[in-house]
Amino acid sequence: MKNNLILFTLVLLGFFTMSSQCKKEQLGNEKNFSELVISLDQTAWFCAEKCRYNFTFTDGQVTTERYNAPNDETPLWTCTRKLAAADWQKLVATFDKDALSGVEETIGCPGCADEPIETVKVSTAQFEHAVRMNIGTAIPAVQPLLDELRSQAEAYKDQENCE
């Protein structure tokens, strides 16, 4: 009887230990985004030149990189600009960790049939998730973030107002 009680206690203790670890690993929606980085990479694989843009958004700053070919490591140009607090807040307001983590890393067949590819990547100190898809793909779970990100990226495709 005493052995059964000890065994039961150990099993119960193990269960609580495992469930508390799971809670630590779950992603919340806390609004501390000081380390948040949101990037959008748009690549046309079958083009002659100026085939890729990369936009990196952080609190107060956006960096645009333009590449000549899809696999180039060195950008043709890099442009860093101040990001208005209101624009950053729009991105933050549309970001939902739980929704994003539920999205597959690859949507459809990116690049098939010569389609341009888009990769959205979001990272913090404790979280990183990237989603690769054809440009313009709709993903209902994170559509507000995609819409806002694409809209802001479009505004930063030129070299004007670089720091």
Side-chain angles (χ1 to χ4, degrees):
M1 181 75 170
K2 188 175 183 180
N3 288 338
N4 287 343
L5 182 58
I6 291 172
L7 181 61
F8 176 75
T9 304
L10 288 174
V11 169
L12 193 59
L13 182 61
F15 174 76
F16 285 122
T17 301
M18 287 181 4
S19 67
S20 68
Q21 288 175 348
C22 291
K23 287 180 184 174
K24 289 178 187 175
E25 294 173 0
Q26 288 177 346
L27 300 171
N29 279 324
E30 66 277 358
K31 296 296 181 185
N32 179 10
F33 294 118
S34 61
E35 298 174 353
L36 180 65
V37 177
I38 302 173
S39 67
L40 176 67
D41 188 86
Q42 296 177 327
T43 305
W45 286 95
F46 300 100
C47 70
E49 61 181 342
K50 299 178 183 174
C51 300
R52 179 175 158 220
Y53 280 102
N54 183 276
F55 306 92
T56 304
F57 294 85
T58 57
D59 189 3
Q61 180 176 299
V62 58
T63 301
T64 305
E65 295 174 322
R66 178 74 185 252
Y67 297 84
N68 200 45
N71 291 322
D72 281 358
E73 294 294 322
T74 305
L76 291 172
W77 54 265
T78 299
C79 182
T80 302
R81 301 175 184 100
K82 290 183 181 180
L83 181 64
D87 289 338
W88 177 245
Q89 287 306 314
K90 287 178 190 176
L91 285 171
V92 168
T94 62
F95 173 59
D96 181 335
K97 278 188 198 179
D98 294 330
L100 183 62
S101 4
V103 175
E104 295 290 324
E105 291 181 7
T106 303
I107 305 294
C109 184
C112 294
D114 300 342
E115 290 282 336
I117 298 169
E118 201 167 45
T119 303
V120 174
K121 181 178 174 185
V122 179
S123 60
T124 67
Q126 300 83 22
F127 171 79
E128 183 173 296
H129 191 73
V131 178
R132 192 168 181 245
M133 68 203 109
N134 286 329
I135 285 184
T137 298
I139 305 172
V142 293
Q143 197 61 45
L145 174 63
L146 291 175
D147 291 344
E148 187 61 37
L149 188 56
R150 289 169 178 158
S151 172
Q152 288 193 34
E154 189 63 34
Y156 293 111
K157 281 193 172 180
D158 59 44
Q159 285 182 281
E160 292 179 23
N161 303 319
C162 292
E163 294 178 1

